[in-house]
Amino acid sequence: MSVTKKDVNYVADLARLKLSEEETESLANDMNQILDYMTTLEELDTSDVEPLEHVIDLEYRLRDDKAKEPLSHEDALKNAPDADTDYFRVPRVIE
């Protein structure tokens, strides 16, 4: 599989990005290099490799999962730029 400039432009359009011709060419090249590297990785024998949840050991870095009282409506909406009594107000993004 190879990524074409048409593919890059399609994804950029979905993300609402405007790319120059040079950026499109560069991104297509970068994505193809990533895919080539993934093909190389597929050749490795990983049958004896145990699946990981995280790449690094996070056992001692995570806090205990303890239940707490939820925020009140007033506290949750306190710093909102625009809110009514119960909800956040946000600009309309779907026309």
Side-chain angles (χ1 to χ4, degrees):
M1 177 183 185
S2 146
V3 177
T4 64
K5 290 192 295 185
K6 182 179 177 183
D7 297 327
V8 172
N9 285 325
Y10 175 73
V11 173
D13 186 50
L14 290 175
R16 297 179 186 224
L17 298 173
K18 290 191 180 206
L19 301 176
S20 68
E21 185 65 28
E22 295 81 25
E23 290 171 321
T24 303
E25 185 73 38
S26 176
L27 284 171
N29 184 40
D30 290 347
M31 289 180 186
N32 282 317
Q33 287 180 355
I34 292 168
L35 290 174
D36 289 342
Y37 183 69
M38 295 305 295
T39 302
T40 303
L41 290 178
E42 285 178 346
E43 296 171 4
L44 296 175
D45 178 20
T46 59
S47 59
D48 294 333
V49 177
E50 190 173 324
L52 297 173
E53 186 175 286
H54 294 282
V55 177
I56 58 175
D57 183 21
L58 295 177
E59 183 177 342
Y60 301 108
R61 298 178 190 211
L62 300 176
R63 65 172 171 75
D64 290 336
D65 190 14
K66 296 180 182 174
K68 295 182 179 180
E69 288 294 318
L71 289 175
S72 67
H73 279 291
E74 296 79 24
D75 287 341
L77 297 173
K78 182 170 44 178
N79 292 323
D82 189 14
D84 66 12
T85 57
D86 292 321
Y87 303 101
F88 294 101
R89 287 191 185 139
V90 296
R92 185 178 183 150
V93 293
I94 299 175
E95 295 178 20

